[in-house]
Amino acid sequence: MKILHINTVDTSGGAARAAYRLHRALLNAHVDSQMLVRSKNSDDYTVIQSAQNKLDKVLNIVRPVIDEFLLNNYPNRNKTLFSPAYAPFSNIAKRVEELNPDVVHLHWICGSYFPIEDLLKIKKPLVWSLHDNWAFTGGCHIKWECEKYTDSCGQCPRLGSGIENDLSRKVFLRKQSVFNQLPNLKIIGLSNWVSECIKRSLLLKSKEVITLPNTLNTDLYSPVDKTLARTLLNLPLNKKLVMFGAMNATSDINKGFNQLLEALNQLTDDIELVVFGSSQPEQALPFKQHVHYLGHLYDDPSLRLVYSAADVMVVPSLQENLSNAIMESLACQTPVVAFDVGGNQDLILHKKNGYLAKSIDVTDLANGMNWVLAHENPSYLANNAREHVVGNFSCNIVVPKYIDLYQTMLKHR
């Protein structure tokens, strides 16, 4: 059985890391797995770039320009990512045919990788893991409060559009045409929340939807002695430490940076903040607590060390599907505080391994951090945190379910 995972990149970004982890876990389970990407960051020989020649590389540069040209007609659009997936001249179907897998597993395929119509050219069984909302919307990746995807999109709030027949409606209709011609396309919802969204969407509600999470190597992500972790990272041994992952935090409004800042202002000064994913800025951010900036961390051992050093991790995102950061932190026995949004309920068991604050309630987010930091039995939260991840998301639990899915698809092809 040969599986081909398709993702825009291999290791950069949450969806890419999740897809790559599944790919490597399948290899460890003796499944023939490869990954096909537009942009390759790793030196892994099992990851293959789709571009084969200079023309392919030039087209990889041109396609984003074409998609951006379409978006320029909407000067009032907000910063939420929107992908038209229109730009043509992709070689994706040709590369799939050359690699000749038994099953093609789609992941995050945006960033002008190939037009949605190219799915019709792939003559292999297709399964698609939805890492965000894009597949069932008219182009936005984060729907937030908008429910237009249940009908037809149009007059898109993300585009700042007042026109019904706008770009979101046109993308929606293109997807509808493609998906209607893919009756056997299987959809994986990575969280219970996104599966429910899929089942309510006009575009995908007729497809078979399987709720199946990302997986995590819980041997790699396991706790390090807190004192040792702090010593190695040059962090204080006698302070309560709140951790925050700040990759694109100030530019991506979904990261909830403003909500975090407001919540931290409600905490005492003796708590200190640990920030990874960002170096210390030239102009200090207005945190009232002392901040330790750890910079960008790219490797799993470093992340494991950081998670283990903190007393609590805070993830103030306004929407999450199945957060890698939350899963990783819990696996390292560090409780997590987050808003009760999206798929966070799948990971955080309220007041058992962390705290689910009321949706976008800044005061309750602060209450959650205080509750964890003042807990009379921290080991109770820590043990529950790791136990939940090991029992529900570790490779030996999740990977056999993916293998069963692939085998079922081959039996019924």
Side-chain angles (χ1 to χ4, degrees), residues 171-185:
V171 172
F172 191 96
L173 293 175
R174 287 172 49 224
K175 288 181 179 178
Q176 189 172 43
S177 174
V178 170
F179 296 160
N180 285 344
Q181 298 175 68
L182 295 171
N184 297 320
L185 172 65

Side-chain angles (χ1 to χ4, degrees), residues 26-326:
L26 287 167
L27 287 172
N28 291 338
H30 309 293
V31 175
D32 187 352
S33 180
Q34 291 178 305
M35 197 169 180
L36 182 64
V37 300
R38 184 193 65 191
S39 303
K40 179 177 177 179
N41 297 317
S42 72
D43 60 356
D44 188 337
Y45 72 93
T46 65
V47 177
I48 302 159
Q49 283 188 287
S50 52
Q52 293 180 289
N53 51 51
K54 289 183 179 179
L55 177 60
D56 290 338
K57 293 177 181 178
V58 169
L59 291 174
N60 280 345
I61 297 171
V62 170
R63 278 194 296 273
V65 176
I66 296 173
D67 279 350
E68 186 63 28
F69 177 78
L70 295 173
L71 291 171
N72 285 339
N73 293 316
Y74 299 90
N76 296 322
R77 72 183 189 273
N78 64 26
K79 293 182 179 180
T80 305
L81 184 63
F82 190 103
S83 299
Y86 171 80
F89 314 121
S90 147
N91 70 340
I92 194 72
K94 175 175 174 286
R95 295 294 280 133
V96 171
E97 183 179 359
E98 291 169 350
L99 295 169
N100 194 28
D102 296 306
V103 174
V104 172
H105 191 151
L106 305 169
H107 292 272
W108 200 86
I109 55 173
C110 295
S112 303
Y113 190 2
F114 56 86
I116 192 70
E117 288 80 5
D118 277 14
L119 293 182
L120 298 174
K121 301 176 184 178
I122 298 175
K123 306 303 180 183
K124 297 290 182 179
L126 289 174
V127 60
W128 193 352
S129 287
L130 302 196
H131 295 266
D132 58 26
N133 305 151
W134 183 81
F136 56 81
T137 71
C140 67
H141 291 258
I142 299 174
K143 70 176 191 65
W144 285 323
E145 77 292 342
C146 182
E147 295 292 311
K148 291 178 180 287
Y149 72 96
T150 62
D151 183 7
S152 60
C153 285
Q155 204 169 351
C156 176
R158 305 295 161 251
L159 293 175
S161 166
I163 303 170
E164 282 293 340
N165 190 30
D166 62 6
L167 182 60
S168 73
R169 173 70 60 82
K170 292 171 183 175
V171 172
F172 191 96
L173 293 175
R174 287 172 49 224
K175 288 181 179 178
Q176 189 172 43
S177 174
V178 170
F179 296 160
N180 285 344
Q181 298 175 68
L182 295 171
N184 297 320
L185 172 65
K186 295 186 185 299
I187 303 296
I188 294 177
L190 297 174
S191 66
N192 287 297
W193 166 76
V194 84
S195 289
E196 289 304 312
C197 292
I198 296 164
K199 292 172 184 176
R200 291 192 292 114
S201 71
L202 183 64
L203 289 176
L204 293 176
K205 65 182 180 182
S206 65
K207 307 301 181 188
E208 181 182 357
V209 180
I210 305 106
T211 303
L212 198 50
N214 298 323
T215 190
L216 184 69
N217 184 334
T218 51
D219 293 327
L220 186 60
Y221 280 88
S222 58
V224 176
D225 176 77
K226 197 174 295 296
T227 299
L228 175 61
R230 291 188 179 191
T231 301
L232 291 172
L233 294 169
N234 196 28
L235 294 172
L237 302 179
N238 59 344
K239 292 285 187 178
K240 293 288 187 180
L241 299 183
V242 174
M243 179 174 58
F244 170 60
M247 186 74 72
N248 302 320
T250 56
S251 59
D252 184 348
I253 57 177
N254 189 57
K255 296 293 186 182
F257 178 79
N258 291 333
Q259 288 76 12
L260 172 68
L261 189 62
E262 190 176 339
L264 286 171
N265 282 335
Q266 299 180 35
L267 271 58
T268 59
D269 294 349
D270 61 329
I271 292 167
E272 297 190 359
L273 183 64
V274 179
V275 174
F276 70 93
S278 173
S279 299
Q280 184 168 346
E282 182 178 356
Q283 189 168 8
L285 296 172
F287 294 114
K288 68 184 274 188
Q289 290 84 10
H290 179 71
V291 185
H292 304 269
Y293 290 95
L294 300 182
H296 293 270
L297 303 174
Y298 299 100
D299 62 288
D300 295 320
S302 295
L303 287 169
R304 175 192 179 198
L305 205 62
V306 173
Y307 289 125
S308 298
D311 294 291
V312 62
M313 168 123 178
V314 59
V315 181
S317 304
L318 310 185
Q319 181 179 297
E320 283 284 359
N321 186 358
L322 194 73
S323 166
N324 288 334
I326 293 177

Side-chain angles (χ1 to χ4, degrees), residues 338-366:
F339 290 123
D340 188 3
V341 295
N344 285 348
Q345 282 189 10
D346 290 10
L347 292 164
I348 300 173
L349 308 178
H350 186 54
K351 292 191 173 182
K352 291 186 178 179
N353 64 2
Y355 190 99
L356 283 170
K358 297 171 187 175
S359 180
I360 325 303
D361 185 327
V362 171
T363 297
D364 203 28
L365 191 70

Side-chain angles (χ1 to χ4, degrees), residues 216-224 304 307-308 326-336 346-349 352-354 378-397:
L216 184 69
N217 184 334
T218 51
D219 293 327
L220 186 60
Y221 280 88
S222 58
V224 176
R304 175 192 179 198
Y307 289 125
S308 298
I326 293 177
M327 191 184 296
E328 292 161 1
S329 180
L330 294 175
C332 295
Q333 290 193 331
T334 298
V336 180
D346 290 10
L347 292 164
I348 300 173
L349 308 178
K352 291 186 178 179
N353 64 2
S379 62
Y380 169 81
L381 298 177
N383 292 334
N384 286 344
R386 179 163 174 80
E387 182 179 299
H388 183 58
V389 175
V390 171
N392 294 278
F393 304 100
S394 59
C395 293
N396 64 311
I397 298 294

